[in-house]
């Protein structure tokens, strides 16, 4: 007999429907799986056989053929254990066969029949709703993650026996019920901008960066607080919207990084080590998986010791920083991952990297500085809107008992500036000033004659490129939004230009 059970597999961060076809026929007893399965799928034979027997059911002593359709796509992971076992149990007439058509099934089986969590449940739940299934049957530990998808019956089961009971008597078993308030945790940061002493102009630069989603580079000596400042940046960013929560949770789920949280409710902060490979940062593998830039989607990607990263790795950032997505191509497949993130880089200045303390009084030439800073290519630097110098903290600031603004106060101004941008770009696929194209810059970044003189000086004397010129206008637009002003004044342009003062060394 032939039984068909619906399941799902992943391609990128999206799921596609997989029909698990189980054929049980007379012949020499055996168990074969076809449909481009990987090792973990082929090993399901042993897990399913032990789980079925240990749950008290009879394992068919016949020729068993499992086909995972479509057969031209490679399948990986252990999520097919549950649908395969249900295909075998359907042979025993334990439940009405038509019930199998109502649900999509996913789950790994332990040898005693327990259901263990698997990756990508949220993407599969979105697929189940789109395909019109009545519900989805998954492991109990994946329940909250799947419950983000509304108007779909979610059944979180602890073992194979419970799944059989559900199919036998679905009317008397209720799906899980969660309100959005229960599912969406309130961000609880254990750091705050109030803890930072001094560095007022750097905090201002980070506020401008947060308000317009601008990339920023922090340059300062060791111990000046670059990492401390960067780690507090998420605390002043606006809360994630519901759609953003879905996207971020999907990425973390596919990567297996939810770790029992169920839902990612705060903006990601990713800080990979400078020894990371280009595949680790951008994404890759035989079947491409999300890299760090996708894990930082709608959040912050912090690259400490920026000059220590391999040049090839940094060059790979140019497309995603510009486009908010990255396409990873392999011989058999090409996958596009979302990658809209704030890039925060940190590095030591030339004097501290090679000449000891910057206060030593030793004189260095501009050529020597340029060679050091050229480790970061000009095209990548042009895509970093703000470059802020982080000086050593003065002793009076270290011992000061005066507390600065809290993250909550700064976040309030950032949210108001974001709201102005959303209203300005309503109806367009633009959500912040950093995403403006040439047309939007011309329309929304008009400056007066005095502002044009400042920009002309920046181009002629400081060597700003055309891209850097546009970036300055975008930052000036954000500064005006923070000040709740519709027009860009020379003061806004001047502040934006000072955030590009390191260009002369690169």
């Amino acid at each position: 007999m032939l039984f068909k059970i619906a399941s799902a597999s992943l391609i990128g961060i999206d799921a596609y429907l997989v029909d698990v076809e189980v054929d049980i026929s007379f012949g020499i007893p055996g168990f074969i799986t076809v449909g481009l399965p990987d090792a973990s799928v082929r090993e399901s034979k042993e897990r399913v056989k032990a789980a079925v027997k240990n749950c008290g059911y009879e394992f068919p002593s016949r020729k068993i053929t499992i086909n995972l359709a479509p057969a031209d796509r490679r399948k990986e992971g252990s999520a097919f254990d549950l649908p395969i076992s249900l295909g075998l149990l359907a042979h025993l007439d334990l439940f009405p066969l038509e019930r199998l058509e109502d649900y999509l099934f996913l789950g790994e089986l332990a040898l005693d029949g327990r259901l263990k969590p698997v990756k990508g449940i949220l993407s599969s739940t979105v697929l189940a709703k789109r395909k019109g299934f009545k519900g989805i049957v998954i492991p109990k530990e994946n329940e909250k993650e799947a419950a983000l998808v509304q108007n779909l019956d979610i059944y979180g089961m602890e073992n194979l026996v419970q799944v059989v009971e559900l199919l036998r008597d679905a009317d008397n078993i209720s799906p899980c019920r969660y309100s959005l308030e229960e599912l969406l945790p309130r961000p609880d940061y254990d750091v705050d901008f109030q803890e930072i002493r001094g560095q007022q102009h750097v905090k201002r630069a980070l506020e401008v960066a947060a308000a317009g989603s601008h990339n920023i580079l922090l340059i300062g000596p060791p111990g000046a607080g670059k990492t401390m400042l960067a780690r507090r940046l998420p605390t002043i960013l606006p809360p994630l919207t519901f759609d953003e929560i879905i996207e971020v949770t999907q990425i973390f789920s596919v990567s297996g990084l939810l770790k029992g949280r169920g839902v990612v409710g705060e903006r990601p902060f990713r800080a990979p080590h400078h020894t990371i490979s280009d595949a680790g940062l951008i994404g890759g593998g035989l079947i491409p998986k999300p890299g760090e830039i996708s894990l930082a989607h709608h959040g912050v990607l912090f690259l400490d010791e920026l000059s220590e990263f391999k040049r090839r790795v940094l060059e790979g950032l140019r497309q995603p920083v510009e486009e908010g997505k990255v396409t990873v191509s392999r011989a058999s497949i090409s996958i596009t991952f979302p990658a809209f993130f704030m890039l925060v880089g940190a590095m030591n200045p030339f004097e501290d990297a090679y000449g000891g303390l910057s206060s030593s009084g030793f004189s260095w030439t501009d050529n020597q500085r340029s060679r050091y800073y050229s480790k970061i290519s000009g095209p990548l630097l042009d895509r970093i809107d703000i470059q802020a110098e982080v000086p050593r903290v003065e002793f009076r600031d270290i011992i000061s008992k005066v507390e600065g603004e809290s993250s909550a106060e700064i976040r309030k101004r950032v949210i108001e500036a974001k709201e102005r941008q959303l209203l300005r770009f309503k109806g367009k696929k633009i959500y912040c000033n950093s995403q403006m194209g040439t047309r939007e810059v011309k329309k929304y970044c008009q400056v007066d004659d005095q502002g044009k003189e400042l920009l002309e000086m920046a181009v002629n004397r400081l060597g700003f490129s055309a891209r850097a010129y546009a970036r300055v206008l975008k930052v000036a637009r954000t500064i005006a939004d923070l000040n709740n002003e519709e027009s860009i004044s020379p003061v806004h342009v001047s502040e934006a230009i000072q955030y590009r003062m390191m260009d002369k060394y690169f």
Side-chain angles (χ1 to χ4, degrees):
M1 292 185 67
L2 176 65
F3 306 96
K4 188 170 74 172
I5 302 93
S7 189
S9 188
L10 299 170
I11 180 167
I13 65 168
D14 297 316
Y16 64 93
L17 193 64
V18 174
D19 289 328
V20 180
E21 299 174 335
V22 180
D23 180 70
I24 304 175
S25 59
F26 293 104
I28 299 174
F31 194 118
I32 183 172
T33 303
V34 297
L36 287 183
D38 73 347
S40 61
V41 178
R42 290 193 298 270
E43 289 172 355
S44 66
K45 172 179 66 173
E46 305 303 332
R47 294 191 297 271
V48 169
K49 185 182 294 186
V52 168
K53 289 182 177 179
N54 289 329
C55 287
Y57 304 115
E58 179 185 353
F59 188 85
S61 181
R62 297 191 180 183
K63 181 181 178 181
I64 300 171
T65 303
I66 310 294
N67 179 44
L68 307 177
D72 60 344
R73 287 186 176 179
R74 187 173 179 82
K75 320 299 186 309
E76 62 176 4
S78 55
F80 297 114
D81 289 3
L82 178 58
I84 290 173
S85 64
L86 292 176
L88 299 176
L89 294 178
H91 175 69
L92 303 177
D93 292 328
L94 296 176
F95 45 77
L97 296 182
E98 59 271 14
R99 291 277 173 81
L100 291 174
E101 300 175 0
D102 295 337
Y103 306 101
L104 190 145
F105 299 89
L106 288 161
E108 177 185 334
L109 284 174
L111 299 186
D112 60 359
R114 287 179 295 109
L115 284 176
K116 303 176 71 174
V118 294
K119 301 178 183 177
I121 286 295
L122 180 55
S123 299
S124 300
T125 308
V126 172
L127 173 71
K129 182 177 180 180
R130 188 171 71 245
K131 293 294 185 180
F133 286 94
K134 181 181 177 181
I136 184 171
V137 181
I138 54 174
K140 185 71 174 179
E141 292 182 47
N142 293 126
E143 192 177 67
K144 283 191 175 181
E145 175 189 347
L148 274 175
V149 179
Q150 302 293 294
N151 302 318
L152 183 74
D153 290 343
I154 310 295
Y155 293 94
M157 298 293 161
E158 295 181 352
N159 53 57
L160 183 58
V161 174
Q162 288 186 356
V163 177
V164 173
E165 290 298 321
L166 169 68
L167 294 174
R168 182 182 292 163
D169 192 12
D171 295 335
N172 291 325
I173 299 179
S174 300
C176 69
R177 302 292 182 195
Y178 289 99
S179 65
L180 287 179
E181 290 73 20
E182 293 177 280
L183 292 172
L184 304 180
R186 297 184 65 181
D188 184 21
Y189 297 104
D190 56 359
V191 293
D192 197 286
F193 262 88
Q194 203 168 43
E195 301 158 357
I196 298 175
R197 297 290 183 263
Q199 308 292 21
Q200 296 302 321
H201 76 287
V202 186
K203 288 191 279 188
R204 167 64 176 178
L206 286 170
E207 179 181 342
V208 173
S213 296
H214 300 288
N215 303 315
I216 183 170
L217 175 62
L218 305 176
I219 304 176
K226 301 185 294 296
T227 301
M228 188 177 183
L229 285 158
R231 290 192 177 278
R232 282 154 179 76
L233 182 56
T235 67
I236 65 173
L237 294 174
L240 287 169
T241 65
F242 182 74
D243 289 341
E244 289 173 343
I245 287 173
I246 293 288
E247 291 180 26
V248 174
T249 303
Q250 272 188 283
I251 296 171
F252 274 69
S253 175
V254 167
S255 303
L257 297 177
L258 284 181
K259 298 179 181 178
R261 284 189 291 178
V263 179
V264 179
E266 59 191 39
R267 295 192 179 272
F269 180 88
R270 305 295 297 180
H273 193 260
H274 63 261
T275 57
I276 192 172
S277 66
D278 50 352
L281 187 67
I282 306 301
L286 182 62
I287 299 179
K289 296 292 190 295
E292 288 291 335
I293 63 172
S294 295
L295 291 169
H297 186 52
H298 291 311
V300 176
L301 177 68
F302 177 50
L303 302 183
D304 200 5
E305 304 296 343
L306 188 65
S307 60
E308 300 298 323
F309 282 79
K310 298 174 186 175
R311 189 179 181 92
R312 176 181 172 183
V313 172
L314 293 180
E315 290 303 298
L317 288 173
R318 287 162 59 173
Q319 179 208 354
V321 163
E322 192 76 21
E323 300 180 6
K325 60 184 178 181
V326 61
T327 300
V328 181
S329 297
R330 294 295 180 264
S332 60
I333 196 169
S334 181
I335 296 176
T336 298
F337 296 108
F340 178 66
F341 56 89
M342 279 186 64
L343 174 62
V344 180
M347 61 185 294
N348 297 327
F350 170 76
E351 293 84 351
D352 287 290
Y354 284 104
L357 297 177
S358 57
S359 59
S360 62
F362 195 89
S363 178
W364 300 95
T365 67
D366 285 346
N367 283 338
Q368 289 172 313
R369 289 188 177 91
S370 296
R371 282 197 299 272
Y372 169 68
Y373 291 124
S374 66
K375 293 180 180 180
I376 304 171
S377 70
L380 177 61
L381 185 72
D382 273 350
R383 290 167 169 82
I384 299 177
D385 301 350
I386 298 174
Q387 304 146 17
E389 188 173 0
V390 186
R392 289 187 174 277
V393 183
E394 298 291 338
F395 179 72
R396 64 174 180 271
D397 291 325
I398 296 176
I399 63 173
S400 174
K401 295 182 179 179
V402 179
E403 293 186 341
E405 279 189 301
S406 67
S407 292
E409 294 172 319
I410 300 174
R411 174 185 260 193
K412 184 179 179 181
R413 293 196 297 270
V414 169
I415 291 175
E416 290 174 353
K418 285 279 191 180
E419 289 174 347
R420 291 176 65 88
Q421 295 167 50
L422 290 173
L423 184 62
R424 178 183 302 126
F425 304 128
K426 188 176 181 180
K428 302 181 180 180
K429 293 183 178 180
I430 299 176
Y431 307 101
C432 57
N433 288 333
S434 66
Q435 290 182 307
M436 284 192 292
T438 304
R439 185 177 301 175
E440 288 76 28
V441 170
K442 287 183 179 179
K443 182 176 181 179
Y444 300 114
C445 300
Q446 297 289 331
V447 296
D448 58 18
D449 291 339
Q450 190 176 353
K452 290 178 181 177
E453 290 178 6
L454 290 170
L455 290 167
E456 182 181 6
M457 179 196 67
V459 173
N460 293 334
R461 297 186 184 180
L462 301 178
F464 282 14
S465 67
R467 184 184 283 116
Y469 169 84
R471 299 279 176 177
V472 167
L473 286 175
K474 293 179 185 180
V475 173
R477 176 70 271 167
T478 300
I479 296 170
D481 289 338
L482 278 170
N483 294 342
N484 199 23
E485 296 178 18
E486 192 58 40
S487 60
I488 299 176
S489 71
V491 174
H492 304 147
V493 175
S494 179
E495 182 179 351
I497 289 174
Q498 78 169 356
Y499 292 140
R500 303 284 308 189
M501 295 304 289
M502 296 302 295
D503 272 14
K504 60 184 177 180
Y505 294 132
F506 288 83

